[in-house]
Amino acid sequence: MDDTRRCDLVLGGGGIKGLAHLGVLAALDERGYEVMRVAGASAGALAGALAVAGVGPEQARRLSQELDYTGFAIADLVERFGSSRAIAALLRRWTVEPTDPNAWIGEVLAEQGIETFADLRLDDDQASTGEEADYRLVVRCVDVLHRRVVRLPWDYARYGLDPDEQSVAEAVRASMSVPFVFDPVIVGDEPGTQGLLIDGGLTSGFAAAVLDRHDGAVPRWPTFAVRLLPRPRGEPRLPDSDREYAHMVAAALLDTGDLLEPTSACDERRTVRIDVSDVRALEVNGIEDHDLLEEGARAMRAFLDDWDLDAYRRDCRGG
């Protein structure tokens, strides 16, 4: 394949709004692009995993339509409070069957032959950075135990782990661990080196340059960064319960977690902005009223209509 029809992606979080990333992937497929590598956080980590695993646009859309988002969201609550008769009764009233996120992600990836990060290594001909350990997926988490950002699989060595042996599904699940919705994920086997990972989209996210070459060479293919526009600020109102407060905290973190603006005019040129500002990050109910996939596809098509790789290389990368 012509290298100009390959690309890398940098995807942020955004909760349920992250479905727009699937539309981005569909538009790239329409234009004949092969996604080589993805750096993603939260919902972007999930979309990126599907892309590099080889899940096509139609299958991705079908999966998004078939998934019970309410059951997906309450799975950890069920595990945490399953012994409570009151919670059990409430679940029966809702008639919601919980969906284990880790198992669901693992099954989808396993169908594509992807289990550990060893399955996502690039060979020398495909690698774009010249580094020895080049993987097709990098997911962003926050380690609240050590108060640091973690990039998996790159940072597994911090926890005494071999990145090639680690589960891709578990890393994606860790990057989606919204506080108060999903339990955090423990990483590492030894108490002294363990970490506690939560949603990687709760801070500014990956910069557009995270996958750029480090050998000084001109990029063989472009990197596109995708930003989901946040909701406009409404009239502030104080919460009237602990439950509303917890929901407000989680929603605020998600809505503000992808606000890392391009730091240069060149990064601006390769950034795709998708207007999903009318959707709340945790708006599970009523999501069928929004065609987020089409919003993402429309924005990506418009961006590609104006994209000029040769001009970008000349103006921004010395080639």
Side-chain angles (χ1 to χ4, degrees):
M1 173 179 286
D2 181 356
D3 282 342
T4 62
R5 286 297 175 178
R6 290 174 168 175
C7 68
D8 292 339
L9 290 178
V10 179
L11 306 177
I16 198 67
K17 296 187 294 184
L19 286 172
H21 292 137
L22 300 182
V24 167
L25 299 174
L28 288 168
D29 184 73
E30 289 173 7
R31 300 295 179 90
Y33 278 88
E34 178 185 3
V35 177
M36 298 301 296
R37 298 184 303 163
V38 181
S42 195
L46 176 57
L50 297 180
V52 299
V55 175
E58 289 305 315
Q59 184 182 0
R61 176 178 282 274
R62 177 177 57 78
L63 289 170
S64 72
Q65 292 171 339
E66 293 176 353
L67 182 61
D68 182 344
Y69 292 99
T70 302
F72 198 79
I74 69 170
D76 275 9
L77 294 176
V78 173
E79 183 176 349
R80 214 175 308 162
F81 303 114
S83 60
S84 167
R85 285 182 293 178
I87 295 293
L90 183 61
L91 291 174
R92 283 195 298 271
R93 181 178 177 183
W94 282 352
T95 64
V96 172
E97 184 68 28
T99 302
D100 179 7
N102 198 40
W104 184 85
I105 297 168
E107 289 173 5
V108 171
L109 295 181
E111 289 177 358
Q112 305 297 319
I114 305 299
E115 295 184 0
T116 68
F117 277 98
D119 299 319
L120 292 179
R121 269 188 176 272
L122 288 165
D123 58 38
D124 292 339
D125 181 58
Q126 295 173 312
S128 63
T129 64
E131 296 179 347
E132 292 182 0
D134 222 347
Y135 296 88
R136 298 194 66 186
L137 179 69
V138 182
V139 305
R140 191 177 196 274
C141 306
V142 176
D143 183 344
V144 295
L145 191 61
H146 296 282
R147 302 181 185 179
R148 64 191 179 196
V149 170
V150 176
R151 304 163 305 167
L152 304 178
W154 294 348
D155 291 332
Y156 274 122
R158 288 182 167 185
Y159 305 99
L161 300 173
D162 181 347
D164 282 355
E165 297 179 358
Q166 306 313 307
S167 164
V168 177
E170 189 168 316
V172 172
R173 163 65 179 79
S175 186
M176 297 170 59
S177 298
V178 182
F180 311 119
V181 178
F182 294 126
D183 278 341
V185 172
I186 297 173
V187 61
D189 299 323
E190 299 298 328
T193 60
Q194 286 181 322
L196 192 64
L197 306 183
I198 65 169
D199 194 313
L202 299 183
T203 53
S204 293
F206 281 121
V210 66
L211 295 177
D212 284 355
R213 298 180 71 111
H214 301 294
D215 57 5
V218 175
R220 286 185 289 170
W221 56 78
T223 295
F224 302 132
V226 178
R227 298 287 176 229
L228 306 181
L229 298 185
R231 288 176 57 81
R233 292 185 178 182
E235 187 67 26
R237 181 180 60 82
L238 293 173
D240 57 13
S241 67
D242 289 343
R243 181 176 179 274
E244 186 176 356
Y245 167 68
H247 187 279
M248 188 178 294
V249 169
L253 288 171
L254 285 169
D255 279 341
T256 59
D258 197 31
L259 298 183
L260 182 65
E261 291 295 319
T263 58
S264 68
C266 285
D267 278 354
E268 179 66 46
R269 287 171 63 168
R270 55 178 174 170
T271 296
V272 186
R273 299 178 184 274
I274 305 175
D275 188 357
V276 287
S277 57
D278 59 338
V279 180
R280 295 180 183 273
L282 298 178
E283 188 178 13
V284 174
N285 294 324
I287 192 60
E288 63 275 2
D289 297 331
H290 305 276
D291 195 345
L292 293 170
L293 277 74
E294 182 53 35
E295 289 291 341
R298 186 182 301 117
M300 192 71 228
R301 292 187 196 108
F303 174 88
L304 291 174
D305 286 342
D306 295 328
W307 172 251
D308 187 334
L309 176 59
D310 289 335
Y312 173 79
R313 283 171 170 164
R314 181 189 65 242
D315 298 341
C316 300
R317 302 301 296 275

PDB file of all heavy atoms in Angstrom, residues 149-164:
ATOM      1  N   VAL A 149       0.628   9.958  34.753  1.00  0.00           N
ATOM      2  CA  VAL A 149       0.028   9.452  33.527  1.00  0.00           C
ATOM      3  C   VAL A 149       0.803   8.215  33.085  1.00  0.00           C
ATOM      4  O   VAL A 149       2.034   8.176  33.161  1.00  0.00           O
ATOM      5  CB  VAL A 149       0.057  10.529  32.429  1.00  0.00           C
ATOM      6  CG1 VAL A 149      -0.344   9.941  31.080  1.00  0.00           C
ATOM      7  CG2 VAL A 149      -0.861  11.683  32.797  1.00  0.00           C
ATOM      8  N   VAL A 150       0.081   7.200  32.624  1.00  0.00           N
ATOM      9  CA  VAL A 150       0.688   5.939  32.197  1.00  0.00           C
ATOM     10  C   VAL A 150       0.271   5.670  30.754  1.00  0.00           C
ATOM     11  O   VAL A 150      -0.901   5.820  30.394  1.00  0.00           O
ATOM     12  CB  VAL A 150       0.227   4.777  33.099  1.00  0.00           C
ATOM     13  CG1 VAL A 150       0.773   3.460  32.593  1.00  0.00           C
ATOM     14  CG2 VAL A 150       0.659   5.024  34.531  1.00  0.00           C
ATOM     15  N   ARG A 151       1.237   5.267  29.946  1.00  0.00           N
ATOM     16  CA  ARG A 151       0.983   4.939  28.548  1.00  0.00           C
ATOM     17  C   ARG A 151       1.308   3.455  28.340  1.00  0.00           C
ATOM     18  O   ARG A 151       2.466   3.060  28.432  1.00  0.00           O
ATOM     19  CB  ARG A 151       1.826   5.828  27.638  1.00  0.00           C
ATOM     20  CG  ARG A 151       1.626   7.334  27.869  1.00  0.00           C
ATOM     21  CD  ARG A 151       2.744   8.145  27.264  1.00  0.00           C
ATOM     22  NE  ARG A 151       4.043   7.701  27.754  1.00  0.00           N
ATOM     23  CZ  ARG A 151       5.211   8.067  27.216  1.00  0.00           C
ATOM     24  NH1 ARG A 151       5.224   8.866  26.175  1.00  0.00           N
ATOM     25  NH2 ARG A 151       6.347   7.626  27.712  1.00  0.00           N
ATOM     26  N   LEU A 152       0.267   2.695  28.070  1.00  0.00           N
ATOM     27  CA  LEU A 152       0.425   1.245  27.918  1.00  0.00           C
ATOM     28  C   LEU A 152       0.379   0.879  26.443  1.00  0.00           C
ATOM     29  O   LEU A 152      -0.463   1.393  25.711  1.00  0.00           O
ATOM     30  CB  LEU A 152      -0.689   0.516  28.676  1.00  0.00           C
ATOM     31  CG  LEU A 152      -0.800   0.855  30.178  1.00  0.00           C
ATOM     32  CD1 LEU A 152      -1.974   0.110  30.796  1.00  0.00           C
ATOM     33  CD2 LEU A 152       0.485   0.559  30.922  1.00  0.00           C
ATOM     34  N   PRO A 153       1.305   0.021  25.990  1.00  0.00           N
ATOM     35  CA  PRO A 153       2.225  -0.841  26.743  1.00  0.00           C
ATOM     36  C   PRO A 153       3.575  -0.219  27.090  1.00  0.00           C
ATOM     37  O   PRO A 153       4.408  -0.872  27.707  1.00  0.00           O
ATOM     38  CB  PRO A 153       2.425  -2.015  25.786  1.00  0.00           C
ATOM     39  CG  PRO A 153       2.388  -1.371  24.430  1.00  0.00           C
ATOM     40  CD  PRO A 153       1.338  -0.291  24.531  1.00  0.00           C
ATOM     41  N   TRP A 154       3.812   1.021  26.689  1.00  0.00           N
ATOM     42  CA  TRP A 154       5.142   1.599  26.861  1.00  0.00           C
ATOM     43  C   TRP A 154       5.610   1.585  28.317  1.00  0.00           C
ATOM     44  O   TRP A 154       6.802   1.425  28.583  1.00  0.00           O
ATOM     45  CB  TRP A 154       5.159   3.044  26.359  1.00  0.00           C
ATOM     46  CG  TRP A 154       4.952   3.185  24.892  1.00  0.00           C
ATOM     47  CD1 TRP A 154       4.985   2.195  23.944  1.00  0.00           C
ATOM     48  CD2 TRP A 154       4.669   4.403  24.192  1.00  0.00           C
ATOM     49  NE1 TRP A 154       4.736   2.709  22.700  1.00  0.00           N
ATOM     50  CE2 TRP A 154       4.540   4.066  22.810  1.00  0.00           C
ATOM     51  CE3 TRP A 154       4.509   5.730  24.574  1.00  0.00           C
ATOM     52  CZ2 TRP A 154       4.265   5.031  21.837  1.00  0.00           C
ATOM     53  CZ3 TRP A 154       4.241   6.687  23.605  1.00  0.00           C
ATOM     54  CH2 TRP A 154       4.120   6.336  22.257  1.00  0.00           C
ATOM     55  N   ASP A 155       4.701   1.777  29.263  1.00  0.00           N
ATOM     56  CA  ASP A 155       5.105   1.966  30.655  1.00  0.00           C
ATOM     57  C   ASP A 155       4.920   0.734  31.542  1.00  0.00           C
ATOM     58  O   ASP A 155       5.020   0.833  32.764  1.00  0.00           O
ATOM     59  CB  ASP A 155       4.319   3.135  31.271  1.00  0.00           C
ATOM     60  CG  ASP A 155       4.730   4.469  30.672  1.00  0.00           C
ATOM     61  OD1 ASP A 155       5.894   4.575  30.235  1.00  0.00           O
ATOM     62  OD2 ASP A 155       3.894   5.392  30.630  1.00  0.00           O
ATOM     63  N   TYR A 156       4.665  -0.426  30.958  1.00  0.00           N
ATOM     64  CA  TYR A 156       4.513  -1.624  31.794  1.00  0.00           C
ATOM     65  C   TYR A 156       5.782  -1.938  32.584  1.00  0.00           C
ATOM     66  O   TYR A 156       5.716  -2.531  33.660  1.00  0.00           O
ATOM     67  CB  TYR A 156       4.124  -2.829  30.933  1.00  0.00           C
ATOM     68  CG  TYR A 156       2.641  -2.967  30.695  1.00  0.00           C
ATOM     69  CD1 TYR A 156       2.125  -2.991  29.406  1.00  0.00           C
ATOM     70  CD2 TYR A 156       1.749  -3.087  31.765  1.00  0.00           C
ATOM     71  CE1 TYR A 156       0.760  -3.118  29.180  1.00  0.00           C
ATOM     72  CE2 TYR A 156       0.384  -3.214  31.542  1.00  0.00           C
ATOM     73  CZ  TYR A 156      -0.102  -3.224  30.246  1.00  0.00           C
ATOM     74  OH  TYR A 156      -1.448  -3.349  30.034  1.00  0.00           O
ATOM     75  N   ALA A 157       6.942  -1.560  32.042  1.00  0.00           N
ATOM     76  CA  ALA A 157       8.194  -1.848  32.745  1.00  0.00           C
ATOM     77  C   ALA A 157       8.233  -1.177  34.113  1.00  0.00           C
ATOM     78  O   ALA A 157       8.910  -1.664  35.024  1.00  0.00           O
ATOM     79  CB  ALA A 157       9.377  -1.388  31.901  1.00  0.00           C
ATOM     80  N   ARG A 158       7.524  -0.080  34.279  1.00  0.00           N
ATOM     81  CA  ARG A 158       7.461   0.582  35.579  1.00  0.00           C
ATOM     82  C   ARG A 158       6.871  -0.332  36.652  1.00  0.00           C
ATOM     83  O   ARG A 158       7.112  -0.152  37.844  1.00  0.00           O
ATOM     84  CB  ARG A 158       6.601   1.840  35.495  1.00  0.00           C
ATOM     85  CG  ARG A 158       7.236   2.999  34.745  1.00  0.00           C
ATOM     86  CD  ARG A 158       6.308   4.197  34.770  1.00  0.00           C
ATOM     87  NE  ARG A 158       6.976   5.419  34.326  1.00  0.00           N
ATOM     88  CZ  ARG A 158       6.422   6.618  34.338  1.00  0.00           C
ATOM     89  NH1 ARG A 158       5.167   6.740  34.786  1.00  0.00           N
ATOM     90  NH2 ARG A 158       7.079   7.675  33.941  1.00  0.00           N
ATOM     91  N   TYR A 159       6.082  -1.283  36.215  1.00  0.00           N
ATOM     92  CA  TYR A 159       5.402  -2.191  37.142  1.00  0.00           C
ATOM     93  C   TYR A 159       6.008  -3.587  37.117  1.00  0.00           C
ATOM     94  O   TYR A 159       5.398  -4.540  37.610  1.00  0.00           O
ATOM     95  CB  TYR A 159       3.908  -2.244  36.801  1.00  0.00           C
ATOM     96  CG  TYR A 159       3.282  -0.867  36.786  1.00  0.00           C
ATOM     97  CD1 TYR A 159       3.081  -0.178  35.592  1.00  0.00           C
ATOM     98  CD2 TYR A 159       2.923  -0.236  37.984  1.00  0.00           C
ATOM     99  CE1 TYR A 159       2.527   1.094  35.586  1.00  0.00           C
ATOM    100  CE2 TYR A 159       2.369   1.036  37.985  1.00  0.00           C
ATOM    101  CZ  TYR A 159       2.183   1.699  36.787  1.00  0.00           C
ATOM    102  OH  TYR A 159       1.632   2.966  36.786  1.00  0.00           O
ATOM    103  N   GLY A 160       7.190  -3.701  36.535  1.00  0.00           N
ATOM    104  CA  GLY A 160       7.869  -4.987  36.493  1.00  0.00           C
ATOM    105  C   GLY A 160       7.214  -5.993  35.571  1.00  0.00           C
ATOM    106  O   GLY A 160       7.335  -7.203  35.791  1.00  0.00           O
ATOM    107  N   LEU A 161       6.540  -5.519  34.517  1.00  0.00           N
ATOM    108  CA  LEU A 161       5.793  -6.399  33.624  1.00  0.00           C
ATOM    109  C   LEU A 161       6.360  -6.355  32.208  1.00  0.00           C
ATOM    110  O   LEU A 161       6.843  -5.314  31.745  1.00  0.00           O
ATOM    111  CB  LEU A 161       4.315  -5.989  33.584  1.00  0.00           C
ATOM    112  CG  LEU A 161       3.558  -6.035  34.910  1.00  0.00           C
ATOM    113  CD1 LEU A 161       2.158  -5.442  34.735  1.00  0.00           C
ATOM    114  CD2 LEU A 161       3.466  -7.469  35.431  1.00  0.00           C
ATOM    115  N   ASP A 162       6.289  -7.490  31.523  1.00  0.00           N
ATOM    116  CA  ASP A 162       6.675  -7.589  30.120  1.00  0.00           C
ATOM    117  C   ASP A 162       5.496  -7.119  29.274  1.00  0.00           C
ATOM    118  O   ASP A 162       4.425  -7.728  29.299  1.00  0.00           O
ATOM    119  CB  ASP A 162       7.019  -9.040  29.782  1.00  0.00           C
ATOM    120  CG  ASP A 162       7.461  -9.226  28.335  1.00  0.00           C
ATOM    121  OD1 ASP A 162       7.276  -8.288  27.525  1.00  0.00           O
ATOM    122  OD2 ASP A 162       7.983 -10.311  28.009  1.00  0.00           O
ATOM    123  N   PRO A 163       5.638  -6.042  28.511  1.00  0.00           N
ATOM    124  CA  PRO A 163       4.498  -5.526  27.753  1.00  0.00           C
ATOM    125  C   PRO A 163       3.922  -6.531  26.769  1.00  0.00           C
ATOM    126  O   PRO A 163       2.703  -6.546  26.549  1.00  0.00           O
ATOM    127  CB  PRO A 163       5.074  -4.295  27.037  1.00  0.00           C
ATOM    128  CG  PRO A 163       6.555  -4.446  27.104  1.00  0.00           C
ATOM    129  CD  PRO A 163       6.838  -5.210  28.354  1.00  0.00           C
ATOM    130  N   ASP A 164       4.765  -7.370  26.186  1.00  0.00           N
ATOM    131  CA  ASP A 164       4.261  -8.329  25.206  1.00  0.00           C
ATOM    132  C   ASP A 164       3.313  -9.357  25.814  1.00  0.00           C
ATOM    133  O   ASP A 164       2.535  -9.986  25.094  1.00  0.00           O
ATOM    134  CB  ASP A 164       5.430  -9.063  24.547  1.00  0.00           C
ATOM    135  CG  ASP A 164       6.115  -8.226  23.488  1.00  0.00           C
ATOM    136  OD1 ASP A 164       5.618  -7.119  23.197  1.00  0.00           O
ATOM    137  OD2 ASP A 164       7.157  -8.671  22.958  1.00  0.00           O
TER     138      ASP A 164
END
